[in-house]
Amino acid sequence: MRLAKYLALCGVASRRHAEGMVTSGRVFVDGQRVTDPARDVDDRSHVTVDGRPVSRQPHEYHLVNKPTGVVATAHDPEGRRKVTDLVRSRARLYPVGRLDIDSRGLMLLTNDGELANRLMHPRYEVEKTYLARVRGKVADSALRELREGVDLEEGRTAPAKVDVVERDARTTTLELTIHEGRNRQVRRMCEAVGHPVAELERTGYGPVELGDLRPGRSRELDDDELEALRRASGLAITR
């Protein structure tokens, strides 16, 4: 199989990120540096990344309720607490997608690079749902803008599903569902329509919901959740 796919199956990174690791010269096969992600390898190949040997490992799938102040990454040069620190596992897990340090809520961690890549790829339009408490009373015109798409620096967003959950004198709580994965997208969309986000929580990723899992806690996905995720990302059902 191709080297990038093999690295993803080994739990090194998603396939897309694995391609970057190869092209940057961090991967050796049978003692030789390889920079072509399409290089063919198999389980008999001796593959190392940054000098460490890698091999296939059983897949794990975890749901985490990330608190604010925790970074959504497997590595942080500043030494901050990472979302991977919230899961007890010997597997080399990595987060599926982004959730900024000031936001909280549902994150998926896995070493299944193929599923992770599909969940993040815009082609498959896997939805993410958020609760956003924004400043001000959101008028119908602003809701319409969010539902039709908002112009950001890099282009217009896809339409979002938006509902008003609660209003008080100073803030409005919105439930927003999007299928894109732009950097800080929900925050930027709300700010673009004149309502900066005060608090942001992700409550759903595709068919998987956060439920009553407490902040800082994690659990493994059950079989039904995993198969629903695979279905949402266009992968074959496992049973």
Side-chain angles (χ1 to χ4, degrees):
M1 72 181 71
R2 293 188 173 193
L3 179 56
K5 181 177 181 180
Y6 179 81
L7 292 175
L9 292 175
C10 290
V12 173
S14 69
R15 194 183 308 183
R16 182 167 48 184
H17 291 152
E19 289 175 353
M21 298 171 77
V22 176
T23 57
S24 63
R26 298 169 59 187
V27 180
F28 283 69
V29 177
D30 297 331
Q32 300 294 318
R33 188 189 305 273
V34 176
T35 57
D36 179 7
R39 160 76 180 268
D40 283 331
V41 295
D42 57 34
D43 288 327
R44 296 169 296 179
S45 304
H46 180 64
V47 180
T48 62
V49 178
D50 298 332
R52 294 187 297 176
V54 299
S55 58
R56 295 206 213 191
Q57 55 186 223
H59 287 156
E60 295 184 15
Y61 309 88
H62 299 265
L63 185 156
V64 179
N65 187 347
K66 185 191 88 67
T68 58
V70 174
V71 293
T73 181
H75 306 282
D76 182 59
E78 298 181 34
R80 295 170 295 183
R81 195 180 189 197
K82 308 180 299 295
V83 68
T84 50
D85 296 332
L86 304 178
V87 177
R88 292 184 178 180
S89 173
R90 291 188 172 185
R92 190 172 180 177
L93 303 173
Y94 45 89
V96 179
R98 306 182 181 102
L99 195 60
D100 67 72
I101 192 170
D102 297 320
S103 299
R104 64 182 187 270
L106 188 158
M107 290 205 70
L108 300 175
L109 271 64
T110 186
N111 56 354
D112 183 344
E114 184 174 19
L115 178 59
N117 186 61
R118 284 182 173 241
L119 289 173
M120 293 185 288
H121 199 290
R123 171 183 175 186
Y124 300 100
E125 298 188 354
V126 179
E127 295 183 335
K128 282 85 68 178
T129 300
Y130 301 81
L131 284 179
R133 188 169 68 85
V134 302
R135 295 187 175 92
K137 183 177 180 180
V138 181
D140 288 344
S141 58
L143 294 175
R144 185 165 55 250
E145 285 185 72
L146 293 169
R147 289 167 179 158
E148 294 178 352
V150 177
D151 290 322
L152 302 179
E153 290 181 4
E154 68 275 24
R156 192 175 184 83
T157 67
K161 300 175 184 176
V162 185
D163 290 300
V164 175
V165 176
E166 186 178 7
R167 283 192 176 103
D168 60 32
R170 297 184 178 180
T171 65
T172 305
T173 300
L174 303 174
E175 183 180 72
L176 299 96
T177 300
I178 61 174
H179 62 74
E180 296 175 296
R182 305 189 197 188
N183 188 37
R184 299 174 70 88
Q185 181 173 339
V186 171
R187 290 182 181 275
R188 294 165 64 207
M189 289 173 66
C190 291
E191 187 169 2
V193 299
H195 297 280
V197 171
E199 295 181 15
L200 184 63
E201 178 183 31
R202 182 190 286 157
T203 59
Y205 201 124
V208 176
E209 297 181 352
L210 183 61
D212 58 2
L213 186 68
R214 290 188 293 170
R217 297 298 184 91
S218 68
R219 66 171 177 82
E220 292 190 56
L221 296 183
D222 63 35
D223 290 343
D224 290 339
E225 289 172 320
L226 177 55
E227 292 199 358
L229 276 177
R230 292 176 64 85
R231 185 181 296 110
S233 62
L235 287 171
I237 306 303
T238 57
R239 68 180 185 187

